Amino acid sequence: MTAESTRPRVVLGVGGGIAAYKVAELLRLLTESGHDVRVVPTRAALEFVGAPTWAALSGHPVATDVWADVHEVPHVRIGQGADLVLVAPATADLLARAAHGLADDLLTTTLLTARCPVVMAPAMHTEMWLHPATVANVATLRERGVEVLEPASGRLTGADTGPGRLPEPAGIFAAARRALAGRTAARDLAGRHVVVSAGGTREHLDPVRFLGNRSSGRQGWALASTAAARGARVTLVAANVALPEPSGVTVVPVVSAEELRGAVLAAAADADAVVMAAAVADFRPRDTQDTKIKKGAGEPDSVALVRTADVLAEVARAPRVRPGLVVVGFAAETGDAEGDALAHGRAKLATKGADLLVVNEVGGRGHPTGFEGAQNAAVVLGADGSRTDVPLGPKEALADTVWDLVRARWTDPKDR
Ligand code: CTP
């Protein structure tokens, strides 16, 4: 590793799978957030993405075997000097070699010499992931303290689908940050069931048109994946989100506010927390046409709207099935003549009856936050009068703060 650097030192081991191309984006997330990354691909990885890409994106030379720069003893030094070893994609072969302590290339020798946290993000075909050999290797690695992430489910290379997809780069990045912060072992949400709503509802006017909104679902996705990584059982009620499913999470897809309400209330029945990150329509068309509305004779000159149910208020006000249920809302606010964004947030927190309200000031003072981007800044207001400022940063950082605050509010013992 570079001696001059005081930045967190990450060894990014890249296995020989097609998902290696996605790891270039992970590398960018790491370098752009100030990590000093040394990429160690396997020989097979270079068949998918070549050494110049890794060298250019990391700013370091790239080697796969132990014979380059032998005078620097790289097979020992790289692992010893790392703050984190992150392996993505971790192929079935690489998991097997790591589990058995083989040391036949630079990455496996690095894994043997590293004394820092190790995070592995698997990617392979479903059959390989579910094979007893891989299951046993993953169990061995986890027993030794390696954090092997759950692969995502979805479309694999070729026509097949199932568990085995590489988790999204943002999710791996979040796991890496947590591991660097020493929180790998703190599965501090284990035994809890949390419900997160994400995305934006669609209220149909006719079979092709709807009233919708700009929500991408990214903040809800970050909440779900960080909660899963911290050990929670997660139900993610997803309204029209185009992102790949986060791993280790149960996704319930919905379209309209009413469907979202049904899914959230059902999942909330045994939940410890409900976090409403979805942008839920406040109004829906009073009438929905079964056939497409046409121009010409009989065309409507206005659309009558009716109010939808306020799901957050309903969950917060309902008799709490679990005495410890913590309810969190999100609010995009702007200041106006009546008061600033936070004053509006305080009023909304009280009206809704939530325990916490994450307030995004939108369009204010130069940079809009929330919506499509990967970054967010917010102030989290507590019904107890507390206030937590979260500076502009990855949506995963805001998500972690929300879970810290939720966790601090659980009063019942962790008995499940
Ligand atoms: N929300 C909800 N059901 C609705 C509308 C909103 O559960 N029908 C939730 C959102 O998920 C979010 C919070 O309420 O957590 C705040 O939403 P927002 O639209 O900002 O609040 P409103 O009550 O609609 O207030 P406003 O009049 O400012 O739009």
Side-chain angles (χ1 to χ4, degrees), residues 35 65 71 75 119 137 244:
H35 299 84
D65 61 39
H71 60 288
H75 72 290
V119 175
N137 289 331

Side-chain angles (χ1 to χ4, degrees), residues 215-252:
S215 177
S216 67
R218 283 185 200 285
Q219 185 60 63
W221 247 234
L223 283 155
S225 54
T226 50
R230 288 168 68 168
R233 177 161 73 85
V234 183
T235 304
L236 175 57
V237 178
N240 313 298
V241 181
L243 305 168
E245 288 188 7
S247 45
V249 164
T250 304
V251 179
V252 182

Side-chain angles (χ1 to χ4, degrees), residues 169-192:
I172 305 174
F173 174 65
R177 280 185 50 252
R178 260 194 310 280
L180 275 168
R183 298 175 66 169
T184 328
R187 289 174 60 85
D188 56 356
L189 306 185
R192 301 289 184 172

Side-chain angles (χ1 to χ4, degrees), residues 197 276-278 280-282 308-312 329-333 348 352:
S197 72
M276 288 291 299
V280 186
D282 291 323
T308 56
D310 187 325
V311 185
L312 176 62
F330 271 68
E333 297 288 351
K348 191 170 283 183
K352 302 251 185 185

Side-chain angles (χ1 to χ4, degrees), residues 197 199 201 257 260-261 264 275-283 307-315 328-333 344 348 351-352 356-358:
S197 72
T201 61
L260 182 138
R261 173 175 173 271
V264 168
V275 181
M276 288 291 299
V280 186
D282 291 323
F283 304 96
R307 282 276 278 273
T308 56
D310 187 325
V311 185
L312 176 62
E314 199 172 334
V315 174
V328 185
F330 271 68
E333 297 288 351
H344 288 304
K348 191 170 283 183
T351 327
K352 302 251 185 185
L356 294 162
L357 189 74
V358 183

